[in-house]
């Protein structure tokens, strides 16, 4: 199928529905593109071809993406019979006995699982470079990062290997790779896609799962398919008013949009990113929205510091579960320096440290959420710099302090909305002078994905990105 990569997921599903193509043919098209592009990108780290061919030839559920090839991030999403490396040497040999709860929901949407995608070690960094899996490269320029921690998924979608892929976001790990690779990336409201019984590491509520896509409608349709409440959830997300596929057909109206380039450190962002942000604000004003320059106004230093103890303790608890599963402690060479530092920090925390951390973050989140009483959308860039080269943020060879210093410079904007649980979306509005994507981040009040989808659909028409093609494509 020569024009496979020109279709989004819903487009391919319509071809299946009208019997113009079979799921088996789509699966072979995806496999051919993995084999063609993966040697240069390193996006797919497990090839589940036999399972994919069997599933494609079988009786697939009649979901919105029936027959569409799909990839799962190789981190926290179990797939029956498949290995799960978590990007780490320590997890070698780990195989999941059954599907995770959200994996089952993806299958019910009709997708065919073809393989698993590259991720940094335990998803810690905003770049997908690890000692175990190697660097994942950006289809727009393979010398540059694909972002992290869902970098493999973003690279594969941007290259046309699959039209959409699973991703997760704990501090920006959907939005950052979407921005780096020119995709639509929505961090959903906390528990909008339930973590279900297997999501132990998600106990803080920071991490959510969704997809990276090339079109707004694919993101909306997949969230309609998977984003329904878990009947046993303690704190389910507030219900939506209507399907998101209906929301993208509705006008956003005249929105109150605040924009800012303020950073937690107070340092200015790259001039080219600043100019792109200002042009986006002008575009929004031209569409009839009320647009004002206004920063979030929170104490970033206090907010980020408040989360440290609880986040470290949560990571240590997750590692202890993995250690129990594998039956041994990691050897010195089985974890990267930043991972070791995070694990040791987590094990130093007391119960009182972790609880105080959670308490302080909760109170500081009130200030973030209060900002949206007078604002419908908050606009910033996703990155503060152009997309870095491979090796600039190197968790394998750089000291942990230097990794975090560089990450803070490149990725200053995404974490507050993981802490507060709000929906936040990256859209590929611009490209820089080097031809790499520039993602803009649109954040809405808690549980209001609807307004993001309406605005994203409007921008997709006014600033269309679907016809842009990376160097590595199709």
């Amino acid at each position: 199928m020569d024009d496979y990569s020109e279709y989004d997921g819903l487009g391919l599903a319509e071809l299946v529905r009208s019997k113009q193509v079979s799921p088996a043919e789509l699966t072979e098209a995806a496999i051919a593109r993995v084999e063609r592009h993966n040697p240069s990108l390193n996006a797919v780290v497990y090839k589940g071809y036999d399972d994919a061919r069997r599933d494609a030839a079988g009786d697939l559920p009649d979901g919105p993406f029936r027959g569409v090839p799909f990839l799962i991030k190789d981190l926290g999403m179990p797939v029956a019979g498949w290995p799960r490396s978590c990007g780490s040497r320590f997890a070698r040999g780990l195989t999941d006995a059954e599907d995770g709860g959200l994996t089952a929901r993806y299958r019910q949407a009709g997708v065919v699982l073809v393989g698993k995608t590259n991720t940094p070690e335990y998803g810690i960094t905003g770049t997908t470079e690890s000692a175990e899996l190697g660097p994942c490269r950006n289809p727009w320029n393979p010398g540059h990062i694909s972002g992290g921690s869902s970098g493999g998924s973003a690279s594969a979608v941007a290259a046309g290997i699959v039209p959409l892929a699973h991703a997760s976001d704990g501090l920006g790990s959907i939005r950052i790779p979407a921005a780096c690779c020119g995709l639509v990336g929505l961090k959903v409201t906390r528990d909008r896609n339930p973590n279900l019984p297997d999501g132990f590491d998600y106990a803080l509520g920071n991490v959510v799962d969704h997809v990276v896509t090339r079109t707004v409608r694919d993101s909306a349709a997949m969230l309609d398919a998977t984003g329904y409440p878990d009947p046993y959830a303690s704190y389910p997300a507030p219900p939506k008013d209507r399907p998101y596929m209906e929301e993208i057909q509705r006008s956003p109206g005249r929105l109150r949009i605040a924009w800012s380039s303020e950073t937690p450190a107070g340092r200015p962002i790259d001039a080219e990113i600043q100019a792109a942000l200002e042009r986006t604000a002008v575009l929004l004003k031209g569409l009839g929205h009320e647009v004002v320059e206004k920063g979030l106004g929170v104490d970033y230093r206090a907010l980020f510091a408040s989360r440290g103890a609880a986040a470290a303790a949560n990571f240590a608890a997750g590692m202890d579960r993995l250690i129990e599963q594998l039956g041994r402690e990691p050897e010195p060479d089985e974890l990267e320096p930043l991972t070791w530092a995070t694990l040791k920090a987590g094990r130093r925390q007391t119960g009182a440290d972790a609880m105080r951390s959670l308490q302080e973050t909760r109170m500081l989140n009130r200030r973030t959420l209060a900002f949206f009483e007078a604002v419908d959308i908050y606009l910033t860039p996703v990155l503060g710099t152009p997309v870095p080269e491979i090796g600039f943020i190197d968790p394998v060879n750089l000291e942990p302090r230097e990794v975090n210093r560089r990450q803070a410079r490149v990725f200053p904007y995404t974490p507050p909305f993981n802490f507060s649980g709000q929906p936040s979306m990256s859209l590929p509005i611009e490209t820089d002078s080097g031809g790499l994507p520039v993602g803009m981040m649109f954040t809405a009040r808690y549980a209001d994905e609807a307004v993001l989808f309406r605005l994203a659909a409007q921008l997709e028409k006014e600033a269309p990105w679907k016809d842009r093609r990376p160097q590595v494509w199709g």
Side-chain angles (χ1 to χ4, degrees):
M1 184 179 176
D2 293 340
D3 59 349
Y4 161 90
S5 298
E6 300 300 324
Y7 290 88
D8 69 355
L10 290 176
L12 291 176
E14 179 55 34
L15 294 179
V16 171
R17 195 166 291 111
S18 60
K19 301 188 183 305
Q20 296 179 61
V21 68
S22 69
E25 289 173 298
L26 296 185
T27 297
E28 293 304 326
I31 290 171
R33 283 157 178 79
V34 174
E35 294 302 304
R36 183 184 308 156
H37 297 313
N38 211 53
S40 63
L41 297 177
N42 191 29
V44 178
V45 294
Y46 176 76
K47 299 173 180 179
Y49 296 168
D50 290 344
D51 289 343
R53 286 169 170 142
R54 180 201 65 220
D55 293 345
D59 187 16
L60 292 166
D62 190 23
F65 294 97
R66 183 174 181 270
V68 176
F70 191 72
L71 294 164
I72 295 284
K73 180 179 176 180
D74 190 23
L75 186 55
M77 190 67 58
V79 179
W82 288 12
R84 177 160 47 98
S85 77
C86 307
S88 178
R89 291 171 173 169
F90 179 54
R92 286 176 180 169
L94 176 64
T95 298
D96 288 305
E98 57 186 20
D99 282 348
L102 190 53
T103 304
R105 292 192 179 196
Y106 287 131
R107 290 194 194 273
Q108 283 301 309
V111 298
V112 175
L113 305 188
V114 175
K116 301 187 86 173
T117 60
N118 203 340
T119 184
E121 188 166 65
Y122 302 106
I124 293 175
T125 56
T127 181
T128 300
E129 302 174 59
S130 69
E132 171 66 4
L133 300 179
C136 180
R137 298 180 179 275
N138 194 318
W140 295 85
N141 183 331
H144 290 253
I145 70 170
S146 61
S149 60
S150 307
S153 291
S155 179
V157 173
I161 292 172
V162 290
L164 73 168
H166 164 247
S168 58
D169 190 315
L171 289 174
S173 292
I174 288 175
R175 292 158 290 164
I176 289 168
C180 290
C181 293
L183 303 174
V184 176
L186 171 63
K187 185 205 87 67
V188 298
T189 299
R190 177 177 299 163
D191 290 325
R192 178 69 73 197
N193 270 326
N195 299 137
L196 296 160
D198 41 344
F200 286 108
D201 289 356
Y202 295 4
L204 287 185
N206 280 12
V207 182
V208 298
D209 292 280
H210 190 37
V211 291
V212 286
T213 65
R214 295 198 298 269
T215 64
V216 172
R217 70 174 191 164
D218 272 3
S219 184
M222 186 57 89
L223 190 54
D224 280 335
T226 61
Y228 53 92
D230 172 6
Y232 309 112
S234 301
Y235 307 104
K240 60 189 180 185
D241 291 334
R242 61 188 63 84
Y244 297 121
M245 283 296 286
E246 292 183 17
E247 296 290 1
I248 64 174
Q249 304 299 323
R250 297 167 70 93
S251 168
R254 188 169 191 260
L255 300 175
R256 299 166 298 173
I257 300 176
W259 67 276
S260 178
S261 60
E262 70 174 15
T263 62
R267 292 191 298 265
I269 61 175
D270 182 89
E272 195 168 7
I273 306 301
Q274 177 72 35
L277 172 63
E278 293 174 5
R279 287 192 297 270
T280 303
V282 171
L283 170 63
L284 291 164
K285 189 172 183 179
L287 291 172
H289 301 296
E290 179 186 337
V291 182
V292 297
E293 184 176 3
K294 180 183 179 183
L296 197 58
V298 301
D299 185 340
Y300 287 102
R301 187 178 298 274
L303 180 62
F304 284 28
S306 76
R307 204 60 166 180
N314 186 65
F315 179 73
M319 285 297 294
D320 284 348
R321 289 185 184 279
L322 180 59
I323 288 163
E324 290 173 7
Q325 191 172 2
L326 296 176
R328 65 181 182 85
E329 289 278 335
E331 298 293 333
D333 65 345
E334 288 185 309
L335 297 178
E336 295 167 9
L338 181 59
T339 308
W340 271 120
T342 306
L343 177 58
K344 290 174 180 177
R347 287 176 168 177
R348 288 195 298 268
Q349 306 307 316
T350 66
D353 293 335
M355 288 308 301
R356 183 180 179 90
S357 172
L358 291 169
Q359 292 166 355
E360 298 225 353
T361 304
R362 181 172 182 269
M363 299 310 292
L364 289 166
N365 281 339
R366 293 173 64 87
R367 302 178 191 177
T368 305
L369 293 162
F371 178 84
F372 288 84
E373 290 182 0
V375 167
D376 298 308
I377 296 288
Y378 181 52
L379 165 67
T380 69
V382 179
L383 276 62
T385 69
V387 179
E389 293 183 349
I390 295 283
F392 178 73
I393 304 168
D394 183 351
V396 179
N397 296 303
L398 291 174
E399 291 294 322
R401 187 184 299 271
E402 181 62 16
V403 173
N404 285 330
R405 187 187 73 80
R406 296 186 184 195
Q407 289 202 113
R409 176 185 165 197
V410 179
F411 315 123
Y413 294 111
T414 54
F417 308 112
N418 293 88
F419 303 157
S420 65
Q422 293 169 254
S424 186
M425 178 183 282
S426 176
L427 296 175
I429 302 294
E430 297 239 0
T431 55
D432 66 21
S433 59
L436 286 161
V438 176
M440 291 292 148
M441 187 169 77
F442 301 82
T443 302
R445 63 178 55 87
Y446 193 85
D448 197 1
E449 284 92 344
V451 71
L452 290 178
F453 277 123
R454 292 194 295 265
L455 178 60
Q458 182 185 52
L459 289 169
E460 191 174 39
K461 294 175 183 176
E462 298 295 330
W465 49 79
K466 64 181 180 179
D467 294 328
R468 298 177 192 159
R469 294 289 183 263
Q471 292 182 25
V472 179
W473 172 252

